[in-house]
Amino acid sequence: MKYILVTGGVISGIGKGIIASSVGTILKSCGLHVTAIKIDPYINIDAGTFSPYEHGEVFVLDDGGEVDLDLGNYERFLDIRLIRDNNITTGKIYQSVINKERKGDYLGKTVQVVPHITDAIQEWVMKQATISVDEDGVEPQVCVIELGGTVGDIESMPFIEAFRQFQFKVKRENFCNIHVSLIPQPNTTGEQKTKPTQNSVRELRGLGLSPDLIVCRCTTPLETSVKEKISMFCHVEPTQVICVHDVSSIYRVPLLLEDQGVVSYLCERLNLPIEMRPRKMLTKWKEMADRSDRLLEYVSIALVGKYTKLADSYTSVIKALEHSALAINHKLEVKYIDSADLETTTLQDDPVKYHEAWQKLCSAHGVLVPGGFGARGTEGKMQAISWARKQNKPFLGKGDVRLCFHLVHLSDANSTEFNPESKHPVVIDMPEHNPGQMGGTMRLGKRRTIFSSSTSVLRKLYGDVEYVDERHRHRFEVNPELKHHFEQKGLQFVGQDVEGERMEVIELEDHCYFVGVQYHPEFTSRPIKPSPPYFGLLLASAGKLQSYLAKGCRLSPR
């Protein structure tokens, strides 16, 4: 097993996840089996209880693991399926060590950070690296490990120490370190500054890890003199300084790394068993990047949500929209609308904001309402849904299908999430939800949805299959007792769970595209294989859905 550790310096959020995914992608394109592990130094057990404003969206895996959004990048780039143990947190490590101590596994020893915590980290990495992540069940040959945060943080110290020991345990030819750093370029001088990188590398070396590759994030390509300076002060060859400047699309990052000889360096450094042959998979990436740069036609989608101030809150949603837009050869324009701005209270408090929000909604080609928790902004979401229904605008709602409120005119229609005493709860608590505890008590992970209607638009988009397996993350569901009320209003329940009790997919009759799903289809969307509910939304928004269905779900040749 070969291990590639990706660390970051100067600032967090520098793009370690994309670099780690891209390194994995170029190695996978050489025919190697690659897996990935993300280490988050926070003390939370998992990402499930975070607000999206803390660390961006919570990504859900097949086994119900609620993890960091970087695991979403790994899955999309490498087209693999990960499990919750591919995300290591300080909380998980300490929990496992404390449990062992309580059971008496340490035989009366003093339990310390070194060696007990550091050993637990190394054992976890070695065990997880051997677990297959591909459809064919083959054991991976390369494991890319991304260490979150910045070198020098107090909380990541045990992990750095664990990898300092680890490099000797697995031998030098099986372990290498890629350090991602920032090269700022102040506007006043326009000069690329290397000092932050020098300091960051010095700190890393002081902790016992020597970077093999230094990946420099910068706005414009690195000048040769700057490259040589980094090489001189950071104790590496100029060829080991890799420039990743800002590019038009993230599909270009693997190509950038490949152009600078990262594969040949890693081959030599880690004795990788690959012959240098033309890499077909990278040709696909190049084609995708070129196509996305050449697109001329626009399609705009209004994203009506609660966390629109931070784009990372909806990473997978935006990616799923981009994959679908690329498939129909349109450039995507996302109009972020805070759902609270559409509410009448905003009209009184800030009329300009209210009218701007409605102007954005009315000018979009399609409407997307992602799921959210809590009562804030719910009224605004329902206004947007009602507008899309009346105006015959393409609409996709997911995660919590509250659009039912507008289709059942019950005087007290509500949700037990916002009003536990409601007489007509349209959306109810699920039996498996434990209100006393927040973490991991939702309906999570991959569940099967069975289509009950042969005429369903969504079923056709999925390729006329009988069932689909999609990932869930919700605490509430539509009240099955009110099913007949919905059906009288033209709302068809076209998909249910295996027991036939839970309403999973709804469609509205006599509407160009009005679909609500209880699951989160964006988690399984891939650049070359877009998610069908999103694909349908974009086709309808671009006015191509009917012709696509009429042609037997085939796009006209490009």
Side-chain angles (χ1 to χ4, degrees), residues 119-158:
D119 283 354
I121 293 165
Q122 294 171 56
E123 282 160 22
W124 193 307
V125 167
M126 289 175 87
K127 185 175 110 235
Q128 201 53 39
T130 59
I131 292 173
S132 172
V133 289
D134 291 300
E135 302 287 317
D136 56 12
V138 176
E139 189 177 305
Q141 297 156 285
V142 179
C143 176
V144 180
I145 306 152
E146 179 196 341
L147 177 55
T150 332
V151 168
D153 293 347
I154 286 181
E155 50 191 15
S156 63
M157 286 297 182

Side-chain angles (χ1 to χ4, degrees), residues 71-255:
L71 276 88
N73 282 326
Y74 304 155
E75 287 208 343
R76 284 187 288 268
F77 269 82
L78 297 165
D79 196 14
I80 53 178
R81 296 283 176 120
L82 300 171
I83 58 172
R84 55 161 58 95
D85 285 349
N86 286 81
N87 191 197
I88 303 176
T89 66
T90 298
K92 283 183 185 175
I93 294 290
Y94 272 82
Q95 191 179 48
S96 73
V97 169
I98 288 167
N99 289 343
K100 273 180 155 181
E101 186 274 332
R102 290 289 82 188
K103 281 196 294 197
D105 288 0
Y106 295 114
L107 302 172
K109 288 237 177 6
T110 307
V111 181
Q112 292 171 296
V113 174
V114 181
H116 299 102
I117 295 291
T118 51
D119 283 354
I121 293 165
Q122 294 171 56
E123 282 160 22
W124 193 307
V125 167
M126 289 175 87
K127 185 175 110 235
Q128 201 53 39
T130 59
I131 292 173
S132 172
V133 289
D134 291 300
E135 302 287 317
D136 56 12
V138 176
E139 189 177 305
Q141 297 156 285
V142 179
C143 176
V144 180
I145 306 152
E146 179 196 341
L147 177 55
T150 332
V151 168
D153 293 347
I154 286 181
E155 50 191 15
S156 63
M157 286 297 182
F159 293 102
I160 298 268
E161 172 57 27
F163 286 110
R164 185 194 67 74
Q165 299 167 19
F166 191 65
Q167 62 187 341
F168 302 113
K169 190 187 244 175
V170 297
K171 303 287 182 285
R172 182 180 150 76
E173 66 274 13
N174 297 322
F175 178 89
C176 85
N177 173 214
I178 298 175
H179 187 62
V180 187
S181 184
L182 177 72
I183 303 288
Q185 202 168 353
N187 288 338
T188 43
T189 59
E191 196 185 351
Q192 294 178 326
K193 294 291 185 189
T194 63
K195 189 60 77 183
T197 299
Q198 292 177 39
N199 291 340
S200 167
V201 171
R202 185 186 310 124
E203 178 136 32
L204 185 63
R205 291 170 68 82
L207 296 168
L209 282 174
S210 277
D212 295 287
L213 288 174
I214 297 173
V215 174
C216 301
R217 285 283 294 111
C218 39
T219 42
T220 53
L222 270 191
E223 292 155 23
T224 315
S225 58
V226 177
K227 223 175 189 182
E228 285 165 355
K229 191 172 179 184
I230 294 169
S231 153
M232 184 168 65
F233 284 104
C234 298
H235 201 74
V236 291
E237 294 273 341
T239 51
Q240 291 167 259
V241 180
I242 307 295
C243 159
V244 177
H245 53 273
D246 294 352
V247 282
S248 55
S249 121
I250 57 165
Y251 302 140
R252 292 214 176 276
V253 181
L255 304 169

Side-chain angles (χ1 to χ4, degrees), residues 284-302:
K284 276 186 196 164
W285 286 88
K286 185 164 175 22
E287 190 223 328
M288 272 194 307
D290 290 344
R291 260 194 29 232
S292 75
D293 288 350
R294 280 199 306 263
L295 299 175
L296 298 171
E297 287 183 273
Y298 273 88
V299 61
S300 62
I301 300 292

Side-chain angles (χ1 to χ4, degrees), residues 6 53 64 199 253 263-264 284 316 336 351 372 450 455 475 555:
V6 180
Y53 284 141
N199 291 340
V253 181
V263 173
S264 46
K284 276 186 196 164
S316 294
Y336 292 98
I450 295 171
T455 55
R475 204 170 261 145
L555 283 168

